[in-house]
Amino acid sequence: MVAGNIEDWPTGQNFALERRLLVCVCPVELHSAAAAHKCSRLQTRWAHRQNACVSRRAKIGIVIMKIAAAQIACAPGDLEANLRTIHDFASRAKDYGAELVVFPEMVDTGYSMPVIQKHATGGNEGAVPRLQKMAKQLSLAVIAGVSDRDGPRIHNGQVFIDAGGNIRAKYRKTHLVTAAPLDERPVFTAGDAFVSCKFEMFNLGLTICYDLRFPEVCRALAVEHGANVFINSSAWPFPRLEHLRIFALARAIENQCYLILANRVGTDDGVTFCGTSAIIDPYGVIVAAASADRQELIQAEISEEVIKSVRTRMAVFDHRRRDLY
């Protein structure tokens, strides 16, 4: 699916560039040979147009990066099955030309408190070394929510691995869910620090699921860390689907940042997740979005120029009342 035509873009007008990003949304599970053929043709057309777009933008000095978000289901307690799914989606992201792919929360164990208690691993074992090897093989940066066992404590973690297989950043979820049956407190220990990391020309602020309910998290990442792209790995349940959409949009708009949301689908331990993964630009425009109930890979380009333009047009950070808050 392509939004806008590269030939229609006035190269001297940033606003046109901001509003006409290319978007690709393609379901992984296709239901017929005809549908698969159609999707293949769309992907080929998408690749040709993206190459033309990159060439055109390079001539006018625009810094862009292709990012993908993988909306997947997990098999609770089955690391090997989950790693196969992750590898499949990462390979698809690489084929689409993405430089970074984002995965949901707790993709190694699934999101079941008893299963996490039993199967959580430390950073030097389990999923993380395998993800490092995969990232290096594919030459693709990966961010994923994973278990993070540290002695007797278990953290709900998020790891950022670069295309060389190096761990660039680790984040531990700072806000734990308390509502049954998702009460995380008996299993997890909350993190005590916000984390950001430079990646190319962007500064990524790491967040996990429930953190979206706390505007202070993203504001601190934007103001104190200089983040301009928020990454959220999530396992958000269906009853609060509309909350997820609203929070994600609000965090992007109020901080004039991109927000990359990778949410779960499927059901773990009686809890069904609501998908709706999205890539949102600093204007609050949803430039790529997934369904509520299928495994899908979405991708879009993010642009440094868009961030600069939004912040120039409405300088909200300069207008903050530091004497009051």
Side-chain angles (χ1 to χ4, degrees):
M1 183 184 308
V2 177
N5 187 327
I6 185 66
E7 298 304 324
D8 296 335
W9 292 9
T11 57
Q13 296 181 17
N14 292 334
F15 184 73
L17 291 168
E18 295 159 6
R19 304 296 290 185
R20 299 185 183 189
L21 299 176
L22 289 174
V23 181
C24 177
V25 183
C26 183
V28 171
E29 297 175 356
L30 298 170
H31 301 292
S32 69
H37 179 65
K38 182 177 181 180
C39 186
S40 177
R41 286 190 291 109
L42 287 172
Q43 289 172 4
T44 300
R45 186 184 307 170
W46 158 252
H48 289 323
R49 293 203 181 190
Q50 276 201 314
N51 290 336
C53 176
V54 170
S55 177
R56 186 75 160 270
R57 288 180 173 184
K59 292 179 182 178
I60 57 177
I62 295 175
V63 178
I64 61 171
M65 182 168 65
K66 299 176 185 177
I67 289 185
Q71 178 169 288
I72 65 172
C74 295
D78 192 339
L79 177 61
E80 295 304 318
N82 294 332
L83 287 172
R84 285 193 296 270
T85 300
I86 292 168
H87 190 278
D88 179 43
F89 275 78
S91 297
R92 292 171 185 267
K94 182 65 178 181
D95 290 343
Y96 290 154
E99 297 171 60
L100 167 67
V101 60
V102 181
F103 287 92
E105 181 179 12
M106 299 301 295
V107 291
D108 56 337
T109 62
Y111 192 79
S112 163
M113 295 304 115
V115 172
I116 294 167
Q117 186 90 56
K118 180 178 180 181
H119 293 281
T121 57
N124 296 323
E125 54 184 351
V128 172
R130 304 277 291 276
L131 291 175
Q132 289 180 266
K133 182 178 180 180
M134 181 193 74
K136 186 174 182 178
Q137 287 176 337
L138 295 175
S139 189
L140 174 68
V142 175
I143 295 178
V146 293
S147 61
D148 181 7
R149 188 184 290 273
D150 182 10
R153 297 177 299 178
I154 300 173
H155 298 276
N156 187 333
Q158 190 180 36
V159 62
F160 174 28
I161 301 168
D162 68 21
N166 306 298
I167 296 175
R168 295 279 298 276
K170 287 184 177 182
Y171 169 64
R172 291 171 168 176
K173 189 175 183 181
T174 48
H175 296 86
L176 301 182
V177 179
T178 62
L182 299 178
D183 192 343
E184 296 180 319
R185 293 171 298 176
V187 175
F188 291 124
T189 299
D192 58 6
F194 299 146
V195 176
S196 65
C197 184
K198 293 285 186 180
F199 184 58
E200 304 297 340
M201 299 301 294
F202 302 94
N203 190 12
L204 311 183
L206 303 185
T207 67
I208 299 175
C209 199
Y210 190 51
D211 287 333
L212 282 178
R213 285 190 176 270
F214 301 87
E216 298 87 352
V217 176
C218 287
R219 181 46 59 97
L221 286 168
V223 172
E224 298 172 15
H225 291 245
N228 52 24
V229 180
F230 300 135
I231 307 292
N232 189 270
S233 297
S234 192
W236 201 282
F238 247 109
R240 292 176 284 280
L241 183 152
E242 288 303 319
H243 292 189
L244 176 61
R245 288 174 174 163
I246 293 168
F247 290 139
L249 284 167
R251 299 297 86 85
I253 294 168
E254 68 196 5
N255 294 291
Q256 298 177 324
C257 294
Y258 282 96
L259 190 144
I260 318 301
L261 168 66
N263 191 32
R264 278 283 315 277
V265 288
T267 301
D268 294 0
D269 202 17
V271 177
T272 300
F273 308 102
C274 64
T276 322
S277 299
I279 299 174
I280 304 168
D281 81 4
Y283 278 111
V285 175
I286 300 173
V287 295
S291 68
D293 58 0
R294 290 183 301 176
Q295 294 195 110
E296 296 183 51
L297 181 73
I298 61 173
Q299 77 155 18
E301 295 173 349
I302 66 172
S303 166
E304 183 188 30
E305 183 70 15
V306 173
I307 299 167
K308 289 179 179 178
S309 181
V310 172
R311 294 182 176 186
T312 299
R313 292 171 184 274
M314 187 173 292
V316 295
F317 292 104
D318 292 337
H319 300 157
R320 294 175 64 239
R321 289 289 303 276
R322 291 178 174 81
D323 57 322
L324 298 178
Y325 53 84

